Amino acid sequence: MNATPRKWNNETWPIAAAMIQYPNLLPDGRSVQDQSAEEWAATLADIVEAGFTELDPTDSWLRLADLTPSRLESFLALTRSLGLSIPAISTSRRSVIDAVHGDEYLAYGHRVIDTASAIGASAVSFGLFEPLTEAQKQVLWFWTVDGARNPDDPATWQKAVSRIRELGRHAEELGIELSLEMYEDTYLGTADSSVRFVDDVGLDNVGINADLGNLIRLHRPVEHWQQMMAKVAPYAKFWHVKNYTRMEDPASGVIMTHPAPLESGIINYRAAIRMALAHGFSSPFLCEHYGGDGVSVAATNRDYLRRILPR
């Protein structure tokens, strides 16, 4: 699906910092949405000091699409002053088939696409995963507890396809690519299902966010990362990258995972990226990491990507 020729090298490829380390709600009860530019700057100083020149605000931290025009311009002026560009925007846990908020999230998705176009971002990422359950919030690693599942229902599948196609057509009109995030127990919860879903949507600008980390971290059997990547590589677009160690004991059936830097985890990103490049992958990356100093690990991951990307 990726016919666009590569337009970057290892030094110029957009590799953005995620903001998943930073919550939207502040200790004093305020929202990041309501912070001053000076307060935003204090947070973004971490990103700049880590050496990033690209940022994905990540709407779990700040919903750019819900800022007023003047507030959005204030944020953009700030990022420019800090030497940060925004190559893509990621959404999180705002599924267009959410049983309660699906219509609201569909409208929000259109605003995200318009905002991406207005600020010069080339891609957006959407997913069909829902907010963490109370049980997931109570454990150290939320992925060790099952969360919400997309229903095994053809009508709901078709509703999801129709709504993503609607967003995809809007994005296509504005020259934006739409990347759908792989995530457990959703319609993009396996490589096969992800490919089937994107094929059903049927738009060239709609592809797969090959976030295999979301799957290999699960404490359950999963398809080998190499097999998954081979299937989704022809569809790969804006890509969230993270890695995990994974240990399996066949005798007991125990499976354990833990976040790891890109070069140290079970996914061989040198091989995975080469698979995607062979199919014309030409989209930004987003570095994510859970646990510890996620910003610093993300910076290490960025440097690793720059070492292995084509020169």
Side-chain angles (χ1 to χ4, degrees):
M1 292 183 65
N2 284 325
T4 305
R6 189 166 64 243
K7 52 184 177 291
W8 301 302
N9 61 30
N10 66 313
E11 295 180 349
T12 60
W13 211 293
I15 304 175
M19 298 299 289
I20 58 176
Q21 289 77 224
Y22 303 95
N24 176 263
L25 291 178
L26 303 166
D28 62 6
R30 291 184 302 144
S31 168
V32 172
Q33 297 293 124
D34 302 321
Q35 283 189 302
S36 66
E38 291 75 19
E39 290 173 309
W40 286 334
T43 301
L44 293 180
D46 291 347
I47 306 304
V48 175
E49 289 167 2
F52 280 97
T53 54
E54 290 90 21
L55 167 76
D56 178 343
T58 317
D59 70 359
S60 58
W61 178 63
L62 179 66
R63 301 186 311 279
L64 291 191
D66 286 343
L67 294 175
T68 65
S70 62
R71 293 271 289 160
L72 177 60
E73 180 49 44
S74 293
F75 183 79
L76 295 177
L78 170 62
T79 57
R80 288 192 295 266
S81 73
L82 295 174
L84 293 168
S85 64
I86 303 175
I89 300 175
S90 294
T91 68
S92 177
R93 305 191 185 281
R94 290 175 170 82
S95 169
V96 295
I97 54 169
D98 182 284
V100 177
H101 302 289
D103 292 349
E104 172 189 342
Y105 293 156
L106 176 61
Y108 170 74
H110 283 291
R111 296 199 302 276
V112 170
I113 292 167
D114 284 333
T115 301
S117 178
I119 68 175
S122 65
V124 295
S125 176
F126 291 104
L128 297 176
F129 49 107
E130 299 186 8
L132 296 176
T133 65
E134 287 305 314
Q136 287 179 306
K137 294 176 183 178
Q138 299 305 314
V139 297
L140 176 61
W141 302 122
F142 63 83
W143 56 84
T144 62
V145 175
D146 288 349
R149 294 173 176 264
N150 289 169
D152 182 13
D153 170 50
T156 307
W157 169 285
Q158 190 52 49
K159 180 179 182 180
V161 167
S162 177
R163 289 191 164 194
I164 293 298
R165 185 185 295 129
E166 177 184 328
L167 292 174
R169 284 175 173 157
H170 180 187
E172 185 178 43
E173 292 171 357
L174 298 175
I176 303 290
E177 72 173 36
L178 196 156
S179 190
L180 300 176
E181 184 171 354
M182 298 179 73
Y183 197 94
E184 76 267 15
D185 301 325
T186 71
Y187 296 148
L188 291 99
T190 67
D192 289 325
S193 181
S194 298
V195 168
R196 179 188 160 208
F197 189 90
V198 170
D199 280 342
D200 280 3
V201 172
L203 296 174
D204 287 343
N205 69 313
V206 178
I208 295 172
N209 176 350
D211 194 347
L212 303 185
N214 286 340
L215 303 181
I216 60 99
R217 70 188 178 191
L218 299 175
H219 287 198
R220 62 172 97 154
V222 294
E223 187 176 17
H224 192 283
W225 72 265
Q226 197 164 13
Q227 295 170 333
M228 289 193 284
M229 193 66 215
K231 294 172 182 177
V232 303
Y235 300 82
K237 295 194 181 295
F238 174 43
W239 192 351
H240 294 181
V241 292
K242 56 180 175 285
N243 215 344
Y244 295 80
T245 57
R246 181 178 173 93
M247 294 183 291
E248 302 181 6
D249 179 13
S252 65
V254 172
I255 299 172
M256 304 291 289
T257 66
H258 191 281
L262 282 191
E263 60 189 311
S264 304
I266 191 171
I267 301 170
N268 179 348
Y269 271 96
R270 187 186 298 271
I273 288 171
R274 283 176 177 170
M275 287 186 202
L277 291 174
H279 290 280
F281 175 76
S282 184
S283 301
F285 291 98
L286 175 67
C287 290
E288 296 183 317
H289 184 82
Y290 287 100
D293 184 354
V295 173
S296 291
V297 178
T300 299
N301 292 342
R302 175 203 63 222
D303 295 344
Y304 166 72
L305 290 176
R306 296 217 182 277
R307 291 200 305 272
I308 67 173
L309 283 166
R311 298 178 182 277

